[in-house]
């Protein structure tokens, strides 16, 4: 389905024509809105494809996570059924290879799921990269660590792991600015009629053409085809970085993510990661489904 790009406020905008021409020159042509919920296992399972897309074609686009709140609104009753949620998570983990430990819903009640979404917007006030890093830590703590990500103590732990300014994050978490940013995401979700998560909308910022929306989880080639369509050309994928560089950049990754990014089988990816483990470059993280690895910064 096609969509017109909404007007987005930008505190860094200027009326200087020379400045605009410079921004147009350095700006990546495509902006990708990814509508997610931090407790959605399908959104977590999208991570390998987003990483591969960034590695191969990241020079063409910027990625903007939108916290949709759809998991709460579309599944109002499901949060009262922990055993059902456990089954959904376990089934998703078995199907996608991205571990989702459904025991969370039995052992650790998520009392206020919206609070984690608000925290993501607070983290983004320290920059886009800070926001993405914090989102990833929230997901890791939920899907791997079975942590209650609506808990203030867990959110502060995520902030430290994402290397945020913790005091600033705590102040922003209860600020009107974070609340307005969260409301803006919810408004954008409604305007684009997003009724399924994850959903991705591709926009070419250098044309007045329509955006392209894709709802749900698809094979990687589909995302590449849409990017090619929105760019109106077939770009050559960038060379993949050495595995150690990839690990150092992302810090914590799953075997499934490595396999997808490097076009390896799961067994092949596991073998390569075990080699790095023997060299003490990475440490193995216990997971209920699949395997995850953490870069050794020591």
């Amino acid at each position: 389905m096609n969509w017109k790009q909404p007007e987005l406020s930008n505190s860094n905008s200027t009326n200087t024509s020379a400045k605009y021409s410079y921004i147009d020159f350095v700006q990546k042509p495509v902006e990708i809105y990814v509508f997610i919920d931090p407790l959605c296992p399908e959104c977590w399972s999208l991570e390998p494809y987003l990483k591969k897309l960034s590695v191969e074609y990241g020079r063409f686009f910027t990625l903007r996570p939108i916290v949709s709140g759809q998991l709460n609104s579309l599944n109002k009753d499901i949060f009262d059924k922990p055993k059902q949620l456990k089954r959904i998570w376990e089934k998703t983990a078995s199907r996608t290879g991205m571990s989702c430990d459904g025991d969370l819903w039995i052992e650790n009640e998520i009392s206020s799921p919206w609070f984690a979404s608000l925290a993501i917007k607070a983290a983004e006030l320290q920059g886009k990269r800070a926001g993405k890093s914090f989102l990833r830590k929230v997901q890791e703590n939920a899907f791997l660590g079975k942590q209650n990500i609506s808990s203030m103590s867990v959110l502060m732990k995520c902030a430290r792991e994402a290397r945020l300014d913790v005091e600033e994050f705590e102040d922003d978490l209860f600020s009107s600015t974070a609340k307005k940013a969260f409301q803006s995401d919810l408004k954008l979700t409604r305007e684009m009629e997003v009724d399924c998560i994850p959903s991705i909308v591709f926009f070419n910022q250098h044309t007045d053409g329509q955006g392209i929306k894709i709802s749900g989880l698809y094979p990687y080639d589909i995302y590449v085809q849409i990017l090619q369509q929105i760019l109106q050309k077939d770009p050559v994928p960038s060379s993949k970085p050495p595995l150690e560089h990839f690990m150092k950049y992302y810090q914590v990754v799953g075997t499934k993510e490595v396999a997808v990014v490097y076009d390896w089988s799961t067994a092949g990816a596991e073998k390569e990661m075990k080699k790095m483990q023997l060299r003490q470059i990475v440490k193995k993280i216990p997971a209920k489904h699949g395997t995850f690895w953490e870069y050794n910064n020591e």
Side-chain angles (χ1 to χ4, degrees), residues 151-167:
S151 161
M152 186 66 186
S153 61
V154 173
L155 291 174
M156 295 303 291
K157 173 176 176 282
C158 292
R160 289 190 294 272
E161 291 175 348
R163 299 182 180 179
L164 302 185
D165 181 319
V166 178
E167 291 185 5

Side-chain angles (χ1 to χ4, degrees), residues 25-40:
F25 178 75
V26 299
Q27 188 180 50
K28 296 178 182 180
V30 176
E31 186 163 24
I32 300 177
Y33 296 173
V34 184
F35 292 84
I36 55 94
D37 188 290
L39 281 169
C40 169

Side-chain angles (χ1 to χ4, degrees), residues 110-122:
I110 307 293
S111 55
S112 305
W114 61 269
F115 195 46
S117 298
L118 179 64
I120 292 167
K121 305 315 294 182

Side-chain angles (χ1 to χ4, degrees), residues 239-252:
S239 299
K240 296 177 176 64
L243 182 56
E244 184 173 344
H245 294 183
F246 177 80
M247 283 299 308
K248 185 176 182 179
Y249 182 83
Y250 285 108
Q251 293 290 306
V252 175

